[in-house]
Amino acid sequence: MYTPIATQPTNAQAWLAAAAAVQDARGEAYNVVIDIEDPLGISPNDHAILRTVDDFLRRHHANTVSGVANTIFPQGLLDRHGANGLYAAYEAVLPRMKQMTRDWGRYFDRMTSWKKVKGKDIRVINPLDDLIKFMKTQIDSERTYRNTYEMTIYDPTRDAGKVSNRQCLSFLSFKLTDDKTLMLTVMYRNHHYVGRALGNFVGLGRLQAFVAAQSGARLGSLTCISTHAEIDAGKKTQNGVVQGWSSSEANDLIRQCRALPVLTSLSASSTLQASAQTELPA
């Protein structure tokens, strides 16, 4: 059982197409497969989608589109500190992040800090940096290994045995084509299409663009496989503030986005500034 989605030009339009398909499947679907041609592209219609979803999340006291994107890739830190200072800057803000989010909400931490065990030798490695450095050497060489760049987010030592509050993003596979174009395929074990998916696509596109820029590859398509997808809903009260939304509110949001006028003018490889209102603290 799978739910194929026609290839979409941008991540905002991919989110809308996939969310609409899940909505049409009565709010739940399996193996939703969506391919995004330009993970950084943005059109006037995309701005409207991003604004509509972001406003909805803010009104319901949830993490914003940019806030969700930052769990995967902290674009604000890259903009302020550059590629050479990114990892150190993230490490500096990580203690505050740990006070604000669960472990699975800090995906970039899992990508850049991993315990490698070999016998009694235990050392911390940076899988993302190692992947980029190896990819760069391959791109610069005469013979290029194109299918050896993968990262796991699921960690048995932290995640095995948990029934809830586990990571949703599980695996990333980077691929180089014969013309050195970088593609990224990701897998989610569970995907919330209202509260998370649009921000996930934005963050993944930024991560992919970073890897491409640092390794010398060209930016290619992004493919997402949501092994389980849902139109998520639910409310809770925290410190007297109601957080979340009902099923009817979630479905109204998607219907509102589906009713937006389709504008075809595309400004390629934008940095999605319209959604970057909330960045990580520096």
Side-chain angles (χ1 to χ4, degrees):
M1 178 187 298
Y2 78 109
T3 308
I5 309 296
T7 297
Q8 299 295 314
T10 65
N11 47 32
Q13 291 174 60
W15 170 81
L16 181 54
V22 177
Q23 183 180 55
D24 291 345
R26 298 185 179 180
E28 184 181 36
Y30 293 90
N31 296 319
V32 179
V33 182
I34 180 68
D35 187 67
I36 304 164
E37 291 179 343
D38 182 357
L40 290 185
I42 187 167
S43 72
N45 195 53
D46 295 336
H47 281 293
I49 295 170
L50 287 160
R51 253 191 325 270
T52 301
V53 175
D54 201 60
D55 288 346
F56 178 89
L57 296 175
R58 291 175 187 274
R59 286 198 312 274
H60 292 87
H61 306 285
N63 204 1
T64 63
V65 171
S66 184
V68 173
N70 279 335
T71 65
I72 296 173
F73 188 77
Q75 184 67 42
L77 291 182
L78 175 65
D79 293 342
R80 289 193 291 274
H81 300 279
N84 292 335
L86 174 63
Y87 301 128
Y90 187 82
E91 187 176 350
V93 303
L94 191 57
R96 278 180 285 170
M97 289 291 297
K98 289 180 177 179
Q99 296 175 0
M100 296 160 51
T101 65
R102 295 184 179 96
D103 178 63
W104 53 259
R106 302 187 300 273
Y107 291 119
F108 191 71
D109 179 34
R110 291 193 179 206
M111 297 178 202
T112 57
S113 179
W114 197 276
K115 287 183 179 179
K116 184 175 182 179
V117 180
K118 186 176 182 181
K120 294 183 178 180
D121 180 31
I122 302 176
R123 61 191 180 95
V124 178
I125 62 173
N126 184 332
L128 179 61
D129 192 47
D130 290 346
L131 181 151
I132 290 171
K133 288 177 179 176
F134 180 59
M135 185 180 294
K136 181 173 174 54
T137 64
Q138 291 302 300
I139 288 175
D140 292 340
S141 66
E142 292 184 3
R143 180 181 178 183
T144 301
Y145 285 94
R146 296 189 280 123
N147 305 307
T148 59
Y149 314 100
E150 297 180 325
M151 288 195 300
T152 181
I153 303 298
Y154 172 79
D155 181 358
T157 63
R158 289 183 277 189
D159 303 317
K162 288 183 179 179
V163 177
S164 61
N165 293 332
R166 290 175 51 191
Q167 94 312 323
C168 290
L169 175 61
S170 295
F171 190 72
L172 300 94
S173 181
F174 295 87
K175 292 290 187 290
L176 286 170
T177 65
D178 55 4
D179 66 349
K180 312 297 171 60
T181 296
L182 179 67
M183 300 185 298
L184 172 60
T185 301
V186 302
M187 180 173 288
Y188 279 82
R189 69 164 184 88
N190 188 46
H191 217 170
H192 291 172
Y193 266 74
V194 175
R196 295 286 186 267
L198 181 53
N200 291 154
F201 291 168
V202 172
L204 289 165
R206 291 171 174 174
L207 171 68
Q208 183 182 357
F210 176 74
V211 174
Q214 296 306 304
S215 65
R218 290 168 37 184
L219 182 64
S221 63
L222 166 65
T223 303
C224 179
I225 304 171
S226 304
T227 58
H228 177 261
E230 61 180 328
I231 305 303
D232 48 299
K235 290 185 177 183
K236 65 178 181 179
T237 302
Q238 186 169 338
N239 299 325
V241 177
V242 178
Q243 301 174 335
W245 46 84
S246 65
S247 294
S248 61
E249 288 173 319
N251 282 294
D252 284 345
L253 167 68
I254 297 170
R255 280 191 287 268
Q256 182 181 356
C257 290
R258 295 174 78 167
L260 290 170
V262 177
L263 305 173
T264 57
S265 175
L266 179 67
S267 174
S269 298
S270 166
T271 56
L272 297 173
Q273 292 300 319
S275 66
Q277 300 301 317
T278 304
E279 300 290 355
L280 285 170

